[in-house]
Amino acid sequence: MRTLLRRSRRAFFALIGSAALALGGAVALPGTAQAANILSNPGFESGLSPWSCTGNLGSAVSSPVHGGSKALAGAVSSSDNAQCSQTVSVQPNTTYNLSGWVRGSYVYLGVDGGASTWTTSPSAYSQLSVSFTTGASQTSATIYVHGWYAQGTYYADDISLDGPGGGGGGSDTQAPTAPTGLTSTGKTSSSVSLKWNASTDNVGVTAYDIYRGSSQVLSVSGTSATVSGLSPSTGYTFTVKARDAAGNTSAASNSVTVTTDAGSGGGTGFKQAAPYLYEGWGDPPNPSTVMSATGIKWFTMAFVLDSGGCTPAWDGSRPLTGGADQTAVNQIRAAGGDIVPSFGGWSGSKLGANCSSAGALAGALQKVIDAYGLKAIDMDIENSDEFENEAVQARILTALKTVKADNPGLRTIVTFGTSTTGPTYYGNRLIEQAQSLGANIDVFTIMPFDFGGGSDMYGNTVNAAEGLKAKLKSTFGWDDATAYAHIGISGMSGLSDQQENTTPAIWSQIRDWANSHHIARLAYWAVNRDRPCAGGGVVSNCSGIDQSNWQFTSITAGFTG
């Protein structure tokens, strides 16, 4: 909650310096060839192909762009600079001019084994350019762009390599041989891992394109890949084609059909009605009393923060175990319910922002998972330190991917703000990074309040959820039903900070819409406020409107998905 209600929701540079000096001396090469751009798909308007990105960390995004409607986003991690490259045919002893528009912290443009240049331009696109001359017998060149480790997502657009295409001894019309031995090496409810035998080619294979049915879904440089963003209990057929520097494409490999695992309980498997309960604020009620009165079974427990040194604690100050929060958890479980802890929120010292790496953050999350034997965790990603920091977004998503792999059956939720029409720029980036990193997030939960939504809280909530659905479909390739099954809504009881009023009647409408569209999760802030105080304003222990005790919780308990 913002202000009162959102109390809790919402040696490298030395290396860079020396690298800059080294690169600075490499950029001054003579001459410029006057010819058309010989790169394919230079503006990423048709996706990634024929570009190939390390770690599957590249994606074509619709914002921010320099020209056209698409650009490249490279979701760098602490161990991968998300280098995206394309190999083209060139002529020997010829000068070429390479240029491109980039945005981000420490973005590099260059040619393998030759010149490169870099810039830091985190808030706007700037142009990089560099020239190079091919060797006496050189017939191909690999152009690349990449970011720098743990420095956040970079963007690139309108990359141009001006000079003559490969001709004479440099032309090539021979396609690679088809890959053989395609097989699946593993699967989950939302991903399939594949491997195959390498193809051969007269000048060398530069990339392998993975197809799901007739649609290309991935391009890699090696002979293995993991296709993510799939639906549970669904059969998919895959093939692979090899591509060389001249753009010649092989015939398809043998096909392999794989049925993804079922989610827990079948289908997507995750349905959760879990209002927030906060032991550090707003006269926290006895959870067993609320459960008895309403039938609610799950609570989202707020908030796990950093108590220093990437160490988790309730509210950053109360002990992880043995305190009031564990007492509440014990009461909930004794009454037949369970909890999902929420990490982060609007304020306080957050683990995502303060842990030094994705590995350290995963270790902190694991401490909480182990302490309570958790079935699910929620990362409430808000404010400029987490939500509006793309490097921290990537750190959080990578950590969630790690703990999910280490804890079979664990469900992962991310919760973030929204506009009245769907995710904002940073919400879109969060979703795009989740896809690029293969984070396999179970639920993307929006908070449809404090967004200047005016009086129509039902209509604006539905519009925001439909906007999220559209983004999930376009990013992951899901159909409507699958996208809805990955959506959560976390609303507000009564008055918000911006005086938006979600009445019990409106919340019932939202609950009924959520059920009819079979979304995954329904929550609201907070059980602490689920008490009447008509005319009471925006306060911590009541809703500011006329209602009955625990009315919002009772409505939420009717969510079945």
Side-chain angles (χ1 to χ4, degrees):
M1 315 304 153
R2 291 188 175 91
T3 64
L4 173 65
L5 295 184
R6 301 195 61 158
R7 152 67 186 81
S8 288
R9 272 181 66 89
R10 297 254 252 185
F12 167 75
F13 291 103
L15 173 62
I16 288 291
S18 61
L21 291 173
L23 293 171
V27 300
L29 290 176
T32 301
Q34 301 299 319
N37 185 6
I38 63 173
L39 292 176
S40 299
N41 192 21
F44 306 93
E45 298 300 311
S46 58
L48 283 183
S49 181
W51 298 88
S52 180
C53 301
T54 59
N56 298 330
L57 296 177
S59 62
V61 298
S62 56
S63 177
V65 301
H66 172 260
S69 61
K70 297 289 184 180
L72 167 70
V76 300
S77 69
S78 59
S79 59
D80 196 318
N81 63 10
Q83 177 170 301
C84 296
S85 60
Q86 179 181 152
T87 303
V88 294
S89 295
V90 294
Q91 294 185 11
N93 291 321
T94 304
T95 299
Y96 290 82
N97 184 56
L98 173 64
S99 65
W101 292 86
V102 299
R103 171 176 170 173
S105 296
Y106 303 97
V107 189
Y108 295 75
L109 180 70
V111 58
D112 268 2
S116 65
T117 185
W118 67 280
T119 189
T120 178
S121 180
S123 60
Y125 274 99
S126 63
Q127 189 175 30
L128 290 174
S129 62
V130 64
S131 296
F132 64 93
T133 300
T134 55
S137 58
Q138 185 175 351
T139 58
S140 68
T142 299
I143 305 306
Y144 66 80
V145 60
H146 66 73
W148 196 256
Y149 304 96
Q151 292 300 297
T153 298
Y154 72 87
Y155 303 92
D157 201 1
D158 300 327
I159 300 176
S160 177
L161 181 62
D162 289 333
S171 61
D172 174 34
T173 59
Q174 180 177 325
T177 62
T180 60
L182 177 64
T183 186
S184 172
T185 58
K187 59 178 181 172
T188 68
S189 61
S190 61
S191 67
V192 170
S193 296
L194 304 166
K195 72 172 183 178
W196 56 91
N197 299 323
S199 299
T200 59
D201 185 68
N202 60 317
V203 297
V205 173
T206 59
Y208 292 92
D209 299 326
I210 295 89
Y211 289 79
R212 186 181 68 209
S214 60
S215 300
Q216 184 184 333
V217 293
L218 206 59
S219 181
V220 298
S221 57
T223 56
S224 64
T226 297
V227 181
S228 59
L230 307 178
S231 299
S233 302
T234 303
Y236 294 93
T237 299
F238 300 96
T239 55
V240 178
K241 296 179 181 180
R243 183 162 33 86
D244 66 15
N248 301 308
T249 301
S250 75
S253 69
N254 61 294
S255 64
V256 60
T257 299
V258 184
T259 299
T260 51
D261 292 339
S264 176
T268 54
F270 189 70
K271 305 295 179 182
Q272 185 188 79
Y276 281 79
L277 176 65
Y278 189 11
E279 288 298 310
W281 173 88
D283 294 335
N286 184 303
S288 59
T289 299
V290 177
M291 295 173 74
S292 177
T294 65
I296 200 73
K297 292 296 184 183
W298 281 79
F299 292 90
T300 305
M301 295 281 291
F303 280 99
V304 180
L305 296 173
D306 180 24
S307 63
C310 191
T311 303
W314 293 105
D315 224 20
S317 58
R318 299 189 304 278
L320 184 60
T321 59
D325 302 88
Q326 179 158 30
T327 297
V329 173
N330 293 344
Q331 290 172 338
I332 292 165
R333 287 178 168 173
D338 211 338
I339 65 110
V340 50
S342 186
F343 296 77
W346 181 255
S347 61
S349 181
K350 302 167 195 174
L351 290 163
N354 288 287
C355 292
S356 61
S357 66
L361 177 57
L365 301 181
Q366 190 66 50
K367 289 179 182 178
V368 185
I369 294 167
D370 292 342
Y372 288 99
L374 297 172
K375 299 180 179 71
I377 58 174
D378 170 49
M379 298 297 294
D380 193 325
I381 306 171
E382 302 192 48
N383 218 324
S384 58
D385 57 348
E386 290 192 325
F387 188 55
E388 296 178 10
N389 185 318
E390 294 170 13
V392 174
Q393 281 191 8
R395 183 184 305 156
I396 291 171
L397 292 167
T398 303
L400 289 175
K401 179 180 180 179
T402 298
V403 296
K404 189 162 188 178
D406 292 343
N407 300 270
L410 181 75
R411 299 294 183 161
T412 53
I413 304 162
V414 291
T415 299
F416 51 98
T418 183
S419 74
T420 57
T421 57
T424 63
Y425 167 78
Y426 286 106
N428 285 326
R429 283 301 302 124
L430 181 71
I431 293 165
E432 291 162 4
Q433 289 204 93
Q435 189 275 336
S436 295
L437 293 167
N440 196 18
I441 300 299
D442 291 289
V443 186
F444 296 87
T445 301
I446 52 170
M447 296 184 288
F449 56 87
D450 282 354
F451 55 6
S455 60
D456 187 10
M457 291 303 286
Y458 169 73
N460 286 320
T461 296
V462 169
N463 288 340
E466 290 288 357
L468 173 61
K469 179 206 75 172
K471 180 61 179 178
L472 295 178
K473 286 180 64 178
S474 65
T475 302
F476 292 99
W478 291 334
D479 58 18
D480 281 359
T482 304
Y484 282 128
H486 286 81
I487 286 176
I489 293 174
S490 182
M492 173 71 74
S493 58
L495 296 179
S496 73
D497 291 302
Q498 297 181 5
Q499 299 296 306
E500 301 154 334
N501 187 3
T502 302
T503 66
I506 291 173
W507 189 238
S508 294
Q509 284 183 288
I510 293 170
R511 187 270 321 273
D512 292 344
W513 182 90
N515 279 336
S516 67
H517 289 77
H518 309 297
I519 73 170
R521 181 173 184 249
L522 188 66
Y524 78 91
W525 185 266
V527 178
N528 305 61
R529 301 184 71 237
D530 196 11
R531 295 174 274 215
C533 59
V538 180
V539 292
S540 64
N541 61 356
C542 59
S543 64
I545 64 172
D546 186 25
Q547 63 159 98
S548 59
N549 281 335
W550 322 130
Q551 189 171 1
F552 283 87
T553 305
S554 295
I555 295 166
T556 306
F559 171 72
T560 60

